[in-house]
Amino acid sequence: MDATTLSANFEARERATHELRSLADEFAGKDMSAEAREKEANLLAAVADFDGRIKRGVEALRANENVTSLMGSFAGGERRSDTPNESDQLRSLGSPGQVGQSLEFRAVDKASNPNVLDRTLYGQLLEQAVERSTVMRGGATILSTSSGEPIDFTVVTGRASASIVGENGAIPESVPSTIQKSVGAYKYAYASIVSSEFIADKALDLVGFLVGDAGPAIGDGMGRHFLTGTGTGQPKGILTSAPDATATYAADAEDNTVSDALIDLFYELPSSYRANAKFLVSDLTAAKMRKLKATDGTYLWQSAITVGAPDTFNGKPVLTDDGMPNDRVLFADLSKYRVRMAGPLRVERSVDYKFMNDQVVYRFIQRADGLLVDERSAKALTVTPGA
């Protein structure tokens, strides 16, 4: 979130707060109508939502401070001042052993390269990381915290139930089945080593090189654990946490047996989760699903007609991940998986570590963890070996 968007959220919050005050004044000393109570509830929810957006925006802007100086070294030449203290930021790039050394900056043609500096390195890296993680890209809830101390979550394993009670009858107690689990912060780190010649000769490409190098590396590492992590020394993945489905099929089963099992899997998930649920499979399983047909000969798989939209099977989105085992099919509401980003993405530069090789090291560090907070929101089918 940039400063303009953050400011817009502040203004929207102010408008919602002003409406709340006006509503309170209008009904001062008298009961609110049902319509007014509904409006009040909506406004309170809007204010809470804007508060969350503002908090995340402030944290993101603070995180960007860690890469501001680094960004200055990627473009160069005769630069227009974008911020009042830009020259101070550029001077801060000097490292031990470089005092007094001037940096060469090459001009950026904003007309032909409008996105070179418009988006921060931080944002581009996180975008690449999210893109490489199917769980995050598929709708996992991402939480940002300033530090990495353990956070306790109440994980729901079963719902409470209500029953009919006769007049003067005792109301039975019913509470949801829960367990306490915590998320911490595992360190995902990556170092990219480039030669001084590369920096000098390809300054304009350096941002793209680092983003394309580090973003996928961090995202792939986190993404695999968010999917299949064991929970021991690494995040516990959603597939690992998902309860086993009753539905199954053999690896060499006929097409109608496979399609019936996948439809059974669909209905094993409680209806309250099915609306937002997605299939998550390997490429091999996706190929098998793509060939399945209904009794009238129509394919159960439907290719997306909108660019960027997922394909669907039996009306539900299908996502693929190369970290997904070929013998498992996950059907889950991915929003019930919590990804915790602890602290900002750290981007640091050193000219000392590889001094004798005349190389520069860019180090990227992100602390993260993940947890499925509602185990009823996912089911995992296991394919049995064929005959």
Side-chain angles (χ1 to χ4, degrees), residues 83-139:
T83 58
N85 62 345
E86 184 178 8
S87 59
D88 293 335
Q89 295 171 358
L90 296 180
R91 281 195 293 271
S92 71
L93 287 170
S95 303
Q98 287 187 306
V99 176
Q101 177 180 346
S102 62
L103 299 175
E104 179 187 358
F105 297 107
R106 301 188 178 188
V108 177
D109 182 358
K110 299 291 284 187
S112 60
N113 297 282
N115 296 319
V116 173
L117 293 178
D118 287 346
R119 299 168 61 193
T120 66
L121 177 63
Y122 175 79
Q124 293 181 64
L125 279 168
L126 283 187
E127 181 178 315
Q128 285 278 346
V130 170
E131 182 64 27
R132 282 302 179 105
S133 169
T134 305
V135 174
M136 287 196 285
R137 190 178 73 249

Side-chain angles (χ1 to χ4, degrees), residues 4 9 36 128 135 144 210 227 238-239 247 249 274 276 279 303 343 347 371-372:
T4 301
N9 278 286
Q128 285 278 346
V135 174
S144 297
L210 292 175
L227 179 60
I238 187 171
L239 181 64
Y249 64 85
R274 290 201 295 264
N276 197 39
F279 288 101
S303 299
V347 183
L371 177 70
L372 181 63

Side-chain angles (χ1 to χ4, degrees), residues 56-357:
R56 291 191 295 271
V58 170
E59 289 179 350
L61 289 175
R62 287 176 178 170
N64 287 343
E65 293 175 2
N66 290 335
V67 298
T68 300
S69 295
L70 179 61
M71 286 295 295
S73 68
F74 296 154
E78 184 179 351
R79 292 173 49 92
R80 294 183 296 274
S81 179
D82 295 321
T83 58
N85 62 345
E86 184 178 8
S87 59
D88 293 335
Q89 295 171 358
L90 296 180
R91 281 195 293 271
S92 71
L93 287 170
S95 303
Q98 287 187 306
V99 176
Q101 177 180 346
S102 62
L103 299 175
E104 179 187 358
F105 297 107
R106 301 188 178 188
V108 177
D109 182 358
K110 299 291 284 187
S112 60
N113 297 282
N115 296 319
V116 173
L117 293 178
D118 287 346
R119 299 168 61 193
T120 66
L121 177 63
Y122 175 79
Q124 293 181 64
L125 279 168
L126 283 187
E127 181 178 315
Q128 285 278 346
V130 170
E131 182 64 27
R132 282 302 179 105
S133 169
T134 305
V135 174
M136 287 196 285
R137 190 178 73 249
T141 302
I142 302 177
L143 308 174
S144 297
T145 59
S146 57
S147 55
E149 70 280 359
I151 298 177
D152 291 331
F153 281 91
T154 298
V155 177
V156 180
T157 58
R159 279 291 183 200
S161 60
S163 57
I164 297 175
V165 180
E167 184 177 358
N168 299 321
I171 299 176
E173 295 182 1
S174 179
V175 295
S177 303
T178 61
I179 54 176
Q180 290 294 119
K181 291 186 179 181
S182 65
V183 293
Y186 296 100
K187 183 190 291 187
Y188 290 87
Y190 179 78
S192 184
I193 302 174
V194 296
S195 67
S196 60
E197 290 84 357
F198 181 88
I199 296 173
D201 298 340
K202 297 184 179 294
L204 293 182
D205 297 329
L206 187 55
V207 172
F209 171 78
L210 292 175
V211 168
D213 199 34
I218 293 175
D220 189 63
M222 292 192 298
R224 288 179 183 274
H225 289 155
F226 295 155
L227 179 60
T228 59
T230 63
T232 302
Q234 58 188 241
K236 189 169 185 179
I238 187 171
L239 181 64
T240 311
S241 303
D244 291 330
T246 302
T248 186
Y249 64 85
D252 57 356
E254 297 292 330
D255 287 355
N256 61 333
T257 301
V258 176
S259 60
D260 287 351
L262 294 175
I263 292 172
D264 288 341
L265 173 64
F266 174 91
Y267 285 105
E268 281 195 47
L269 204 66
S271 59
S272 57
Y273 300 103
R274 290 201 295 264
N276 197 39
K278 299 178 176 70
F279 288 101
L280 209 165
V281 297
S282 68
D283 288 333
L284 185 65
T285 302
K288 179 184 286 287
M289 293 170 67
R290 198 179 188 104
K291 302 169 188 174
L292 299 176
K293 297 179 182 179
T295 53
D296 61 359
T298 59
Y299 285 101
L300 294 172
W301 182 288
Q302 293 294 319
S303 299
I305 58 175
T306 304
V307 176
D311 294 341
T312 61
F313 177 83
N314 197 31
K316 303 307 294 183
V318 182
L319 306 177
T320 60
D321 192 296
D322 60 8
M324 189 73 181
N326 290 326
D327 63 349
R328 304 297 298 279
V329 176
L330 179 71
F331 187 57
D333 178 352
L334 298 179
S335 69
K336 303 303 180 183
Y337 190 82
R338 299 288 189 268
V339 172
R340 189 257 185 111
M341 296 290 188
L345 173 67
R346 290 166 50 194
V347 183
E348 296 158 344
R349 173 178 180 269
S350 173
V351 296
D352 298 322
Y353 177 61
K354 290 288 186 177
F355 178 77
M356 294 304 294
N357 299 92

